[in-house]
Amino acid sequence: MLNIICMNSMDLKFIKKKIYTFVKIISTVLITSAIGLESWNIYAIITNINVPSSLNPIFWIERFAMMSHFVESIIAAFYAPSRQKMPIKYATYTFFVGTIGLLDYLVSRMTIDASMP
């Protein structure tokens, strides 16, 4: 029975690692796409090209996502020195991967705090 519990815990860690990796990849692709979409929208406005109004909800969603990731990256940059990380590098990483970047920080911070006497 104990062996099954340990194995399940090990499987959960493996699954969590795989899910985190998948979310990091998807998040990076989507944020990069959002940057491209917003760049196209700005170009269309500057050159007086009509953008279909059906894309407006997509623009609002991508702006919300980019602002959320931007706030997360500011938080990461603020706390990066406490992990002996470069703020700009850690902020850029967190901007592209999102909340997972902050979770990486919190998990490592908890393990460091727990190991201190």
Side-chain angles (χ1 to χ4, degrees):
M1 176 92 170
L2 183 61
N3 192 12
I4 293 172
I5 293 170
C6 291
M7 188 170 187
N8 286 338
S9 175
M10 198 167 172
D11 289 342
L12 289 176
K13 288 180 184 177
F14 177 74
I15 291 170
K16 181 180 170 184
K17 183 178 178 184
K18 289 294 184 183
I19 289 173
Y20 273 23
T21 303
F22 179 72
V23 170
K24 286 178 182 179
I25 292 168
I26 294 297
S27 181
T28 303
V29 169
L30 289 176
I31 286 295
T32 304
S33 299
I35 292 169
L37 186 62
E38 191 62 33
S39 300
W40 173 71
N41 187 35
I42 292 169
Y43 173 77
I45 290 170
I46 291 172
T47 58
N48 293 324
I49 297 174
N50 289 333
V51 177
S53 62
S54 61
L55 291 179
N56 283 338
I58 294 173
F59 287 128
W60 283 106
I61 291 169
E62 63 93 0
R63 289 175 188 146
F64 176 77
M66 285 184 40
M67 289 305 297
S68 299
H69 281 238
F70 183 69
V71 169
E72 291 170 344
S73 68
I74 290 171
I75 294 168
F78 182 75
Y79 286 108
S82 68
R83 279 192 72 207
Q84 289 77 37
K85 299 259 186 195
M86 291 179 54
I88 189 74
K89 185 176 180 182
Y90 200 61
T92 304
Y93 167 74
T94 304
F95 177 77
F96 282 101
V97 299
T99 306
I100 300 292
L102 289 178
L103 287 175
D104 288 344
Y105 166 75
L106 290 174
V107 168
S108 67
R109 185 73 185 166
M110 285 183 207
T111 56
I112 290 169
D113 290 343
S115 65
M116 296 179 121

CSV table of all heavy atoms in Angstrom, one decimal, residues 31 34 37-38 56-72 95 99:
chain,number,residue,atom,x,y,z
A,31,ILE,N,1.5,34.2,-26.4
A,31,ILE,CA,1.9,35.6,-26.2
A,31,ILE,C,2.7,36.2,-27.4
A,31,ILE,O,2.5,37.3,-27.7
A,31,ILE,CB,2.8,35.7,-24.9
A,31,ILE,CG1,1.9,35.6,-23.7
A,31,ILE,CG2,3.5,37.0,-24.8
A,31,ILE,CD1,0.8,36.7,-23.5
A,34,ALA,N,0.1,37.1,-29.8
A,34,ALA,CA,-0.6,38.3,-29.4
A,34,ALA,C,0.2,39.5,-29.7
A,34,ALA,O,-0.3,40.5,-30.2
A,34,ALA,CB,-0.9,38.2,-27.9
A,37,LEU,N,-0.2,40.0,-33.4
A,37,LEU,CA,-1.5,40.4,-33.7
A,37,LEU,C,-1.7,41.9,-33.4
A,37,LEU,O,-2.2,42.7,-34.2
A,37,LEU,CB,-2.5,39.6,-33.0
A,37,LEU,CG,-4.0,39.9,-33.3
A,37,LEU,CD1,-4.3,39.5,-34.7
A,37,LEU,CD2,-4.9,39.0,-32.3
A,38,GLU,N,-1.1,42.3,-32.3
A,38,GLU,CA,-1.2,43.7,-31.9
A,38,GLU,C,-0.4,44.6,-32.8
A,38,GLU,O,-0.8,45.7,-33.2
A,38,GLU,CB,-0.8,43.9,-30.4
A,38,GLU,CG,-1.1,45.3,-29.9
A,38,GLU,CD,-2.6,45.6,-29.8
A,38,GLU,OE1,-3.4,44.7,-29.7
A,38,GLU,OE2,-2.9,46.8,-30.0
A,56,ASN,N,-12.4,42.3,-33.0
A,56,ASN,CA,-12.4,43.1,-31.8
A,56,ASN,C,-12.4,42.3,-30.5
A,56,ASN,O,-11.6,42.6,-29.6
A,56,ASN,CB,-13.5,44.2,-31.8
A,56,ASN,CG,-13.2,45.3,-32.7
A,56,ASN,OD1,-12.0,45.6,-33.0
A,56,ASN,ND2,-14.2,46.1,-33.1
A,57,PRO,N,-13.2,41.3,-30.4
A,57,PRO,CA,-13.1,40.5,-29.1
A,57,PRO,C,-11.8,39.8,-29.0
A,57,PRO,O,-11.2,39.7,-27.9
A,57,PRO,CB,-14.2,39.5,-29.3
A,57,PRO,CG,-15.2,40.0,-30.3
A,57,PRO,CD,-14.4,40.9,-31.2
A,58,ILE,N,-11.2,39.4,-30.1
A,58,ILE,CA,-9.9,38.7,-30.0
A,58,ILE,C,-8.8,39.8,-29.6
A,58,ILE,O,-7.9,39.5,-28.8
A,58,ILE,CB,-9.5,38.1,-31.4
A,58,ILE,CG1,-10.5,36.9,-31.6
A,58,ILE,CG2,-8.0,37.6,-31.4
A,58,ILE,CD1,-10.3,36.3,-33.0
A,59,PHE,N,-8.9,41.0,-30.1
A,59,PHE,CA,-8.0,42.0,-29.7
A,59,PHE,C,-8.1,42.3,-28.2
A,59,PHE,O,-7.1,42.5,-27.5
A,59,PHE,CB,-8.2,43.3,-30.5
A,59,PHE,CG,-7.7,43.3,-31.9
A,59,PHE,CD1,-8.6,43.6,-32.9
A,59,PHE,CD2,-6.4,42.8,-32.2
A,59,PHE,CE1,-8.1,43.5,-34.2
A,59,PHE,CE2,-6.0,42.8,-33.5
A,59,PHE,CZ,-6.8,43.1,-34.5
A,60,TRP,N,-9.3,42.4,-27.7
A,60,TRP,CA,-9.5,42.6,-26.2
A,60,TRP,C,-8.9,41.5,-25.4
A,60,TRP,O,-8.3,41.7,-24.3
A,60,TRP,CB,-11.0,42.9,-25.9
A,60,TRP,CG,-11.3,44.3,-26.3
A,60,TRP,CD1,-12.1,44.6,-27.4
A,60,TRP,CD2,-10.9,45.5,-25.7
A,60,TRP,NE1,-12.2,46.0,-27.5
A,60,TRP,CE2,-11.5,46.6,-26.5
A,60,TRP,CE3,-10.1,45.8,-24.6
A,60,TRP,CZ2,-11.3,47.9,-26.2
A,60,TRP,CZ3,-9.9,47.2,-24.3
A,60,TRP,CH2,-10.5,48.2,-25.1
A,61,ILE,N,-9.1,40.2,-25.8
A,61,ILE,CA,-8.6,39.1,-25.1
A,61,ILE,C,-7.1,39.1,-25.1
A,61,ILE,O,-6.5,38.9,-24.0
A,61,ILE,CB,-9.1,37.8,-25.7
A,61,ILE,CG1,-10.7,37.6,-25.4
A,61,ILE,CG2,-8.4,36.6,-25.1
A,61,ILE,CD1,-11.3,36.5,-26.2
A,62,GLU,N,-6.5,39.4,-26.2
A,62,GLU,CA,-5.0,39.4,-26.3
A,62,GLU,C,-4.4,40.6,-25.5
A,62,GLU,O,-3.4,40.4,-24.9
A,62,GLU,CB,-4.5,39.3,-27.7
A,62,GLU,CG,-4.8,40.5,-28.6
A,62,GLU,CD,-3.8,41.6,-28.6
A,62,GLU,OE1,-2.8,41.6,-28.0
A,62,GLU,OE2,-4.1,42.6,-29.3
A,63,ARG,N,-5.1,41.7,-25.4
A,63,ARG,CA,-4.7,42.8,-24.6
A,63,ARG,C,-4.7,42.5,-23.2
A,63,ARG,O,-3.8,42.8,-22.4
A,63,ARG,CB,-5.5,44.1,-25.0
A,63,ARG,CG,-5.1,44.6,-26.3
A,63,ARG,CD,-6.0,45.8,-26.7
A,63,ARG,NE,-5.8,46.2,-28.1
A,63,ARG,CZ,-6.7,46.6,-28.9
A,63,ARG,NH1,-7.9,46.8,-28.5
A,63,ARG,NH2,-6.4,46.9,-30.1
A,64,PHE,N,-5.8,41.8,-22.8
A,64,PHE,CA,-6.0,41.4,-21.4
A,64,PHE,C,-4.8,40.5,-21.0
A,64,PHE,O,-4.2,40.6,-19.9
A,64,PHE,CB,-7.3,40.8,-21.1
A,64,PHE,CG,-7.5,40.3,-19.7
A,64,PHE,CD1,-7.7,41.2,-18.7
A,64,PHE,CD2,-7.4,38.9,-19.5
A,64,PHE,CE1,-7.9,40.7,-17.4
A,64,PHE,CE2,-7.5,38.4,-18.2
A,64,PHE,CZ,-7.8,39.3,-17.1
A,65,ALA,N,-4.6,39.5,-21.8
A,65,ALA,CA,-3.5,38.5,-21.6
A,65,ALA,C,-2.2,39.2,-21.5
A,65,ALA,O,-1.4,38.9,-20.6
A,65,ALA,CB,-3.5,37.4,-22.7
A,66,MET,N,-1.9,40.1,-22.4
A,66,MET,CA,-0.6,40.8,-22.4
A,66,MET,C,-0.4,41.6,-21.2
A,66,MET,O,0.6,41.7,-20.6
A,66,MET,CB,-0.4,41.6,-23.7
A,66,MET,CG,-0.1,40.7,-24.9
A,66,MET,SD,0.3,41.5,-26.4
A,66,MET,CE,1.2,42.9,-26.0
A,67,MET,N,-1.5,42.3,-20.8
A,67,MET,CA,-1.4,43.1,-19.5
A,67,MET,C,-1.2,42.3,-18.3
A,67,MET,O,-0.4,42.6,-17.4
A,67,MET,CB,-2.7,44.0,-19.4
A,67,MET,CG,-2.7,45.1,-20.4
A,67,MET,SD,-1.3,46.2,-20.4
A,67,MET,CE,-1.3,46.9,-18.8
A,68,SER,N,-1.9,41.1,-18.3
A,68,SER,CA,-1.7,40.2,-17.1
A,68,SER,C,-0.3,39.7,-17.1
A,68,SER,O,0.3,39.7,-16.0
A,68,SER,CB,-2.7,39.0,-17.3
A,68,SER,OG,-4.0,39.5,-17.3
A,69,HIS,N,0.2,39.3,-18.2
A,69,HIS,CA,1.6,38.8,-18.2
A,69,HIS,C,2.6,39.9,-17.9
A,69,HIS,O,3.6,39.7,-17.3
A,69,HIS,CB,1.9,38.2,-19.6
A,69,HIS,CG,1.4,36.8,-19.7
A,69,HIS,ND1,2.2,35.7,-20.0
A,69,HIS,CD2,0.1,36.3,-19.6
A,69,HIS,CE1,1.4,34.7,-20.1
A,69,HIS,NE2,0.2,35.0,-19.9
A,70,PHE,N,2.3,41.2,-18.3
A,70,PHE,CA,3.1,42.3,-18.0
A,70,PHE,C,3.2,42.5,-16.5
A,70,PHE,O,4.2,42.8,-15.9
A,70,PHE,CB,2.6,43.5,-18.7
A,70,PHE,CG,3.5,44.7,-18.5
A,70,PHE,CD1,4.8,44.8,-19.1
A,70,PHE,CD2,3.1,45.8,-17.8
A,70,PHE,CE1,5.6,45.9,-18.9
A,70,PHE,CE2,3.9,46.9,-17.6
A,70,PHE,CZ,5.1,47.0,-18.1
A,71,VAL,N,2.0,42.5,-15.8
A,71,VAL,CA,2.0,42.7,-14.4
A,71,VAL,C,2.8,41.6,-13.7
A,71,VAL,O,3.5,41.8,-12.7
A,71,VAL,CB,0.5,42.7,-13.9
A,71,VAL,CG1,0.4,42.7,-12.4
A,71,VAL,CG2,-0.2,44.0,-14.4
A,72,GLU,N,2.6,40.3,-14.1
A,72,GLU,CA,3.3,39.2,-13.6
A,72,GLU,C,4.8,39.4,-13.8
A,72,GLU,O,5.6,39.1,-12.9
A,72,GLU,CB,2.9,37.9,-14.2
A,72,GLU,CG,1.5,37.5,-13.8
A,72,GLU,CD,1.0,36.3,-14.7
A,72,GLU,OE1,1.5,36.0,-15.7
A,72,GLU,OE2,0.0,35.7,-14.2
A,95,PHE,N,7.1,37.0,-18.4
A,95,PHE,CA,6.2,37.6,-19.3
A,95,PHE,C,5.7,36.6,-20.3
A,95,PHE,O,4.6,36.5,-20.7
A,95,PHE,CB,6.9,38.8,-20.1
A,95,PHE,CG,6.0,39.4,-21.1
A,95,PHE,CD1,5.0,40.2,-20.8
A,95,PHE,CD2,6.2,39.1,-22.5
A,95,PHE,CE1,4.1,40.8,-21.7
A,95,PHE,CE2,5.4,39.6,-23.4
A,95,PHE,CZ,4.3,40.5,-23.1
A,99,THR,N,1.9,32.8,-15.3
A,99,THR,CA,1.8,32.5,-13.9
A,99,THR,C,2.7,31.3,-13.6
A,99,THR,O,3.2,31.3,-12.4
A,99,THR,CB,0.3,32.1,-13.6
A,99,THR,OG1,-0.5,33.1,-14.0
A,99,THR,CG2,0.1,31.8,-12.2
